[in-house]
Amino acid sequence: MPVQRRLLSSLNSTPTATPQLRLATNQTGPQCLLVSIPDGLFLGLGLVSLVENMLVVVAIAKNRNLHSPMYCFICCLALSDLLVSTSSVLETAIFLLLEVGALATPAAVVQQLDNVMDVLTCGSMVSSLCFLGAIAVDRYISIFYALRYHSIVTLPRAWGAIVAIWAASVLSSILFITYYNHAAVLLCLVTFFLAMLALMAALYIHMLARACQHAQGIAQLHKMQRPVHQGFRLKGAVTLTTLLGVFFLCWGPFFLHLTLIVLCPQHPACSCVFKNFNLFLALIICNSIVDPLIYAFRSRELRLTLKEVLLCSW
């Protein structure tokens, strides 16, 4: 079963399903838990993510103190999430206009628009995953190679990595849209996701272990109480769980969908998963909303710059 095409399906005369959580049964298949995502929710999530990530990009561009490799990666992550949101808003808006008959467009033009939207969406998704990995690598180097960090992670090298990521994202998205019905392409995407998940888990767990060792050394030096050290470890574990948990929960269902397309495209149980594809896309948009809260807005200087931007706009 290929990845769904929302624009092309809008040309049919079938009415839109009422948003609801329900059980569907096939005559020969199992019960399926279906979560219908209303188009208004897609628009709302997309607009929130669009505004949020646009503010991050503007704040980093405005403040020269934020023009470091780390903030360049954060800015590119926000730009990737911004593109995910933009494609979602545009596609949903066109879908609604076609549905009500306010936009009279030939099927061939709609298909071209759909292809462009799919390339934009897939490219931004791949780049978002890459920049999440780049941020993890940058933080890892800053902790384990602190004295050599500025000689290892230079601005030219960061820009080189950024250009390479964007180029690879565009190329991979074009290949994905062109050969989306080939199992090898889908397996490559799933493998890429698992590699990013393993990379982030390994780096962040190692960083947490080093931070706990450092905290233990400070506690022994100052003869602090054991509960203080335990509290630090608990806080680090919560942060790590948040980083990896959000990543897995938001991206995992989409790549599970791709995996099942390869493994069991005709199985009734897998068909139940396929029917919730729009829910998986909504989770990715939710990830675009959460990313700035985790990676950008925790910076005090970025928050101050954002405050200045908002005050100037008023």
Side-chain angles (χ1 to χ4, degrees):
M1 176 179 175
V3 175
Q4 294 178 14
R5 302 277 180 138
R6 298 182 70 237
L7 284 180
L8 290 179
S9 65
S10 68
L11 295 176
N12 299 329
S13 57
T14 306
T16 304
T18 304
Q20 57 184 339
L21 178 66
R22 58 191 176 88
L23 287 173
T25 55
N26 297 327
Q27 293 180 351
T28 59
Q31 284 191 335
C32 297
L33 181 64
L34 303 181
V35 182
S36 298
I37 304 298
D39 294 308
L41 181 58
F42 263 105
L43 277 175
L45 292 174
L47 288 173
V48 170
S49 175
L50 191 151
V51 172
E52 192 179 21
N53 286 285
M54 186 179 296
L55 289 174
V56 173
V57 173
V58 171
I60 293 177
K62 183 178 184 298
N63 190 342
R64 287 185 172 273
N65 293 331
L66 300 178
H67 292 182
S68 63
M70 179 184 71
Y71 283 104
C72 285
F73 291 136
I74 292 176
C75 182
C76 288
L77 173 62
L79 186 59
S80 298
D81 291 338
L82 181 65
L83 292 176
V84 172
S85 309
T86 302
S87 61
S88 171
V89 170
L90 288 178
E91 187 173 10
T92 305
I94 295 174
F95 173 81
L96 292 174
L97 291 174
L98 287 169
E99 189 179 57
V100 300
L103 185 64
T105 307
V109 176
V110 174
Q111 184 170 4
Q112 292 302 318
L113 284 173
D114 192 40
N115 289 334
V116 171
M117 292 297 176
D118 285 343
V119 169
L120 180 62
T121 301
C122 293
S124 54
M125 285 180 181
V126 172
S127 63
S128 182
L129 289 173
C130 288
F131 286 119
L132 285 171
I135 291 171
V137 171
D138 177 79
R139 290 182 174 180
Y140 183 87
I141 295 174
S142 69
I143 291 176
F144 287 89
Y145 303 94
L147 297 179
R148 298 172 52 203
Y149 173 78
H150 293 290
S151 62
I152 296 175
V153 186
T154 62
L155 204 55
R157 287 177 180 175
W159 278 111
I162 289 169
V163 171
I165 288 173
W166 282 115
S169 299
V170 173
L171 178 61
S172 62
S173 64
I174 293 174
L175 290 175
F176 174 65
I177 298 304
T178 305
Y179 301 104
Y180 68 89
N181 55 343
H182 287 67
V185 174
L186 299 181
L187 288 176
C188 285
L189 282 173
V190 174
T191 303
F192 170 69
F193 166 73
L194 294 176
M196 280 297 162
L197 179 61
L199 173 67
M200 292 176 62
L203 294 182
Y204 282 120
I205 290 173
H206 197 188
M207 283 186 276
L208 176 61
R210 172 60 67 89
C212 289
Q213 291 177 357
H214 183 68
Q216 186 177 15
I218 294 177
Q220 291 176 350
L221 182 64
H222 295 281
K223 297 181 180 180
M224 297 173 65
Q225 298 297 320
R226 184 178 180 86
V228 176
H229 180 230
Q230 290 178 339
F232 178 84
R233 290 169 62 179
L234 178 61
K235 183 179 178 181
V238 169
T239 301
L240 177 64
T241 303
T242 302
L243 285 171
L244 298 180
V246 168
F247 178 80
F248 183 77
L249 290 176
C250 292
W251 287 96
F254 175 77
F255 286 95
L256 173 64
H257 177 94
L258 298 185
T259 304
L260 295 181
I261 289 176
V262 177
L263 298 180
C264 52
Q266 304 298 331
H267 196 279
C270 295
S271 298
C272 291
V273 178
F274 299 150
K275 292 175 183 178
N276 286 297
F277 180 70
N278 285 340
L279 172 63
F280 306 153
L281 291 182
L283 288 175
I284 292 177
I285 299 174
C286 289
N287 183 79
S288 299
I289 296 175
V290 175
D291 278 346
L293 302 178
I294 296 177
Y295 296 98
F297 294 149
R298 296 175 68 182
S299 167
R300 184 174 181 273
E301 186 161 9
L302 192 146
R303 291 199 305 269
L304 291 175
T305 305
L306 183 60
K307 184 178 179 180
E308 293 177 5
V309 170
L310 292 175
L311 289 177
C312 290
S313 64
W314 286 99

